[in-house]
Amino acid sequence: MKLVTVCGPPSSGKTAVILKTLEAFADRGLKAGVVKFDCLSTEDDVLYEKAGIPVKKGLSGPLCPDHYFVSNVEEIVQWGRGKGFDLLVSESAGLCNRCSPHIKEVLAVCVVDNLSGVTTPKKIGPMLKMADIVVITKGDIVSQAEREVFASRVAAVNPKAAVLHVNGLTGQGAFELSSLFDDEEREVESLIGYQLRFTMPSALCSYCLGETRIGESYQMGNVRKMKID
Amino acid sequence: MINEIKNQTVGALLGTYPFAAVYFDGHHVDTKGRESVTVVDVFSDFVTAAGEDAVTTADELLEGLSEHVQQMLLFLADDLDTVRSLNLLPGTHKDGTPENFTNITINSGETICIVGPTGSGKSRLLADIEWVAQGDTPTGRTVLLNDQVPDRKWRFSPTHKLVAQLSQNMNFVMDLTVEEFLEMHAESRLADNVSDVVVRIIDQANALAGESFAPTTPITSLSGGQSRALMIADTAILSRSPIVLIDEIENAGIDRQKALELLLSEEKIVLMATHDPVLALMGGRRLIIANGGIEAVIETTEAERVILKELAVMDRRMTDLRNRLRRGERLE
Ligand SMILES: Nc1ncnc2c1ncn2[C@@H]1O[C@H](COP(=O)(O)OP(=O)(O)OP(=O)(O)O)[C@@H](O)[C@H]1O
Ligand SMILES: Nc1nc2c(ncn2[C@@H]2O[C@H](COP(=O)(O)OP(=O)(O)O)[C@@H](O)[C@H]2O)c(=O)[nH]1
Ligand SMILES: [Mg+2]
Ligand SMILES: [Mg+2]
Ligand SMILES: [Zn+2]
Ligand SMILES: [Zn+2]
């Protein structure tokens, strides 16, 4: 089975792009499934089901969805293999701009949208910097010039990535993205022994574990203080 | 390339490759006051200072910088993106029957119209061109550039996009003045003489739009017609893409004939999906699309050009009446 990790800021168009791309993937007679990781709730699973795409959802609750992702991805891979998928796509929310679900030797996609502003590419961090493919959405609502400027900023941050423009509404560019998924030669039987491309932040303080009270005496574990002078 | 740049000082590197500044900025590497330090040391110091927040290693930063410089050099090597002609080789209709043409050649400086009912495959044809299809799209068509199988860079490189696209519902969303915006675009295109280019674009845009705007006008407050005029002038002059796709710009409130002439004067190939008779007749040929395939190629005839002249007169009259309404005048 092929595996693709798709991440990007909230509302950048990940679900829309995956839906259109898997439609084109199905047209090739291939079978794909999706796993969606989020924090508190997601309606994406309903959208995938409506499109006839088998989906599993994982809600991380109080944990970072990306930490939760790594802890569960092997089980998800086995679920996908059991279902006989040719391709499994994971969608994750990328809430902190610091985590990235990308795994070495596994095709990594980052979705960003033209509306997010030209400084966004440099703010996003490892999920963009370490992606193999960067998909830029919502080109339909900005000018040609803004698309060019935005794409050049993406390229400056990640010069090695293939950059594709996909319209999440009309599906323009989705066939092309699906052909890149299809071209992916690496098959995954198990992720045991694979490595993340980038370490997750060590967020393990008392607040991660449910503390709500404010004050030094309640702060335990990995606590960092601002420098104020 | 890595070896060539790593032991240069940052100052020397930025002197040779000014465009590398965006790479440092994109990775939050501050180079101010460090011009005399070597690139490799600046990266190592940066990674050390970031400590556990470091997103990349110094080696990865070097590798990325080298990649960035190479891409930009390719982008600047003008001859690489000269597209003199585009060839379409046949594929199949939606039902699998072959298309009945052998080779359609479109040369730079030419305008072609694409017409056909909804769902017939106009957008797919444009997408085949943008993806430089090699028998690997639903239509099975093949696209050649300069009579050759094109370089794969046209598919993925953000700096070598084959196609620039102008469509009806595009807006400006950045919070900048016209001048600031054009400067930013010109810089990202590595234009030589930014201020000249900016002046040229504004002049051309004002020639296309009915009412003129100033360099200090915020782009978001331009009228629909002014926005489109600016987009067209900017695409003609600054975009490096050799092919321009125009998707239905009928109610544009701009001088369409002049707009087309501007694009063509820059030796672009212009493809228009339109059912506006004025635009359609301005093209030298029309591709007729049905059932997913190109059914026929029609040359614009002399009789049709006469119709175009009549339409142009009507068009001017409409524009004139519209302008008088705008000024609060009576039309009688
Ligand atoms: N030759 C072909 N073989 C298989 N599928 C095709 C072919 N041509 C087009 N299609 C598919 O048919 C659908 C409709 O085509 P397309 O969107 O290009 O139509 P259109 O002419 O642009 O319509 P509209 O005027 O509504 O924009 C698309 O899903 C496209 O991929
Ligand atoms: N105009 C436009 N809207 C888009 C595009 N892609 C996605 N959207 C819309 O953006 C919103 C967020 O998209 P979604 O796929 O849910 O984003 P996600 O949170 O990244 O999965 C939805 O309303 C989509 O319909 C696009 O290319 N153009
Ligand atoms: Mg989603
Ligand atoms: Mg269409
Ligand atoms: Zn996180
Ligand atoms: Zn915490």
Side-chain angles (χ1 to χ4, degrees):
Chain A
M1 182 180 69
K2 301 173 206 283
L3 178 63
V4 180
T5 55
V6 177
C7 66
S11 296
S12 56
K14 298 179 292 297
T15 305
V17 166
I18 295 171
L19 281 168
K20 293 290 179 191
T21 307
L22 294 190
E23 211 176 281
F25 199 77
D27 288 344
R28 299 162 190 254
L30 298 165
K31 194 174 168 197
V34 173
V35 53
K36 171 63 204 281
F37 288 94
D38 217 321
C39 268
L40 296 176
S41 71
T42 178
E43 257 122 63
D44 288 351
D45 52 330
V46 181
L47 296 174
Y48 288 121
E49 260 162 21
K50 237 194 231 155
I53 299 167
V55 58
K56 270 263 174 275
K57 94 174 146 179
L59 294 181
S60 61
L63 299 176
C64 169
D66 285 316
H67 284 69
Y68 186 69
F69 164 84
V70 224
S71 316
N72 287 283
V73 67
E74 168 63 10
E75 286 79 356
I76 285 298
V77 163
Q78 296 316 323
W79 167 74
R81 289 186 65 215
K83 292 273 182 189
F85 297 153
D86 298 295
L87 170 73
L88 175 64
V89 177
S90 88
E91 178 190 343
S92 61
L95 292 178
C96 63
N97 279 354
R98 168 65 171 77
C99 291
S100 133
H102 301 320
I103 299 167
K104 288 179 186 163
E105 311 294 316
V106 172
L107 191 64
V109 179
C110 179
V111 179
V112 282
D113 77 271
N114 273 300
L115 289 179
S116 62
V118 285
T119 55
T120 298
K122 74 172 192 185
K123 286 187 206 149
I124 293 182
M127 68 176 162
L128 173 64
K129 291 192 174 102
M130 307 221 162
D132 302 311
I133 301 172
V134 179
V135 170
I136 304 179
T137 60
K138 306 190 191 176
D140 54 323
I141 27 193
V142 305
S143 64
Q144 168 67 24
E146 283 162 296
R147 280 199 300 264
E148 288 183 10
V149 172
F150 192 83
S152 77
R153 296 292 164 98
V154 166
V157 171
N158 185 344
K160 277 184 257 170
V163 175
L164 257 74
H165 295 259
V166 178
N167 181 323
L169 298 183
T170 63
Q172 187 181 355
F175 167 83
E176 289 71 15
L177 181 59
S178 81
S179 71
L180 294 190
F181 289 1
D182 203 16
D183 288 348
E184 172 62 44
E185 279 167 3
R186 296 168 293 196
E187 300 271 332
V188 174
E189 280 177 21
S190 158
L191 284 175
I192 295 173
Y194 280 60
Q195 271 188 317
L196 285 171
R197 295 192 185 194
F198 184 63
T199 54
M200 302 263 183
S202 43
L204 243 178
C205 65
S206 42
Y207 297 107
C208 299
L209 299 170
E211 180 59 78
T212 54
R213 289 168 297 178
I214 297 173
E216 193 114 20
S217 59
Y218 305 112
Q219 296 165 356
M220 275 169 286
N222 195 343
V223 175
R224 246 217 268 187
K225 291 294 200 180
M226 276 169 82
K227 282 191 208 100
I228 301 171
D229 36 38
Chain B
M1 188 55 147
I2 294 186
N3 288 327
E4 190 190 312
I5 60 180
K6 80 186 230 196
N7 293 318
Q8 285 188 35
T9 63
V10 168
L13 181 87
L14 290 177
T16 330
Y17 308 126
F19 49 76
V22 282
Y23 182 83
F24 288 99
D25 181 51
H27 290 266
H28 306 274
V29 181
D30 195 358
T31 56
K32 250 192 230 104
R34 310 216 62 202
E35 287 78 6
S36 56
V37 183
T38 61
V39 172
V40 61
D41 285 345
V42 164
F43 283 154
S44 308
D45 294 348
F46 171 74
V47 170
T48 312
E52 60 179 286
D53 287 340
V55 170
T56 38
T57 65
D59 279 346
E60 282 167 344
L61 283 170
L62 262 179
E63 218 176 287
L65 175 62
S66 139
E67 186 81 24
H68 175 71
V69 170
Q70 284 174 47
Q71 272 190 18
M72 289 296 143
L73 289 179
L74 261 182
F75 177 65
L76 284 171
D78 219 6
D79 49 318
L80 265 177
D81 23 338
T82 311
V83 171
R84 291 173 306 276
S85 69
L86 174 102
N87 291 75
L88 291 172
L89 306 183
T92 55
H93 291 83
K94 282 189 190 178
D95 60 12
T97 55
E99 289 180 294
N100 53 357
F101 63 90
T102 46
N103 182 347
I104 297 173
T105 306
I106 306 170
N107 294 307
S108 66
E110 227 189 304
T111 311
I112 301 276
C113 269
I114 297 168
V115 296
T118 181
S120 57
K122 300 182 293 294
S123 296
R124 186 62 250 169
L125 172 61
L126 297 177
D128 281 353
I129 293 170
E130 187 161 12
W131 189 241
V132 282
Q134 297 300 310
D136 56 356
T137 66
T139 63
R141 286 189 194 110
T142 301
V143 174
L144 303 179
L145 299 178
N146 302 334
D147 297 314
Q148 281 168 6
V149 174
D151 194 301
R152 277 176 73 80
K153 73 168 190 227
W154 291 114
R155 286 193 167 182
F156 309 119
S157 164
T159 45
H160 288 88
K161 265 189 78 54
L162 185 61
V163 168
Q165 206 170 346
L166 292 166
S167 59
Q168 180 90 281
N169 55 356
M170 288 194 298
N171 300 297
F172 288 112
V173 294
M174 287 181 190
D175 191 15
L176 296 172
T177 65
V178 168
E179 197 168 32
E180 289 166 342
F181 171 74
L182 291 175
E183 276 166 6
M184 182 176 199
H185 190 204
E187 276 158 17
S188 85
R189 299 285 88 182
L190 309 180
D192 273 335
N193 202 334
V194 173
S195 51
D196 284 359
V197 170
V198 169
V199 170
R200 226 175 108 215
I201 294 173
I202 295 175
D203 286 350
Q204 290 288 1
N206 278 328
L208 298 180
E211 297 147 279
S212 54
F213 52 85
T216 50
T217 311
I219 47 174
T220 47
S221 64
L222 296 173
S223 73
Q226 290 170 329
S227 295
R228 266 176 299 262
L230 181 60
M231 281 179 206
I232 290 171
D234 169 89
T235 299
I237 294 168
L238 260 185
S239 177
R240 293 281 300 266
S241 305
I243 299 175
V244 180
L245 300 184
I246 300 181
D247 192 5
E248 306 274 345
I249 51 164
E250 31 256 76
N251 307 313
I254 55 164
D255 189 326
R256 286 165 289 180
Q257 192 131 15
K258 269 197 209 143
L260 213 54
E261 279 161 12
L262 175 61
L263 289 167
L264 294 177
S265 69
E266 300 292 325
E267 288 299 297
K268 308 228 180 233
I269 290 175
V270 179
L271 297 165
M272 301 189 285
T274 183
H275 297 134
D276 172 349
V278 176
L279 283 176
L281 293 181
M282 279 185 218
R285 285 180 285 170
R286 305 204 279 287
L287 304 186
I288 315 299
I289 315 287
N291 307 316
I294 300 175
E295 288 281 298
V297 184
I298 301 185
E299 301 259 347
T300 307
T301 61
E302 273 318 304
E304 283 176 329
R305 287 190 202 284
V306 173
I307 296 178
L308 175 61
K309 287 215 180 82
E310 289 167 22
L311 288 174
V313 172
M314 282 162 61
D315 212 32
R316 242 171 281 136
R317 181 153 165 76
M318 282 294 281
T319 310
D320 179 49
L321 291 175
R322 203 178 290 124
N323 287 339
R324 284 167 59 189
L325 277 176
R326 198 176 281 135
R327 291 193 297 264
E329 293 171 15
R330 290 192 172 280
L331 299 186
E332 67 216 9

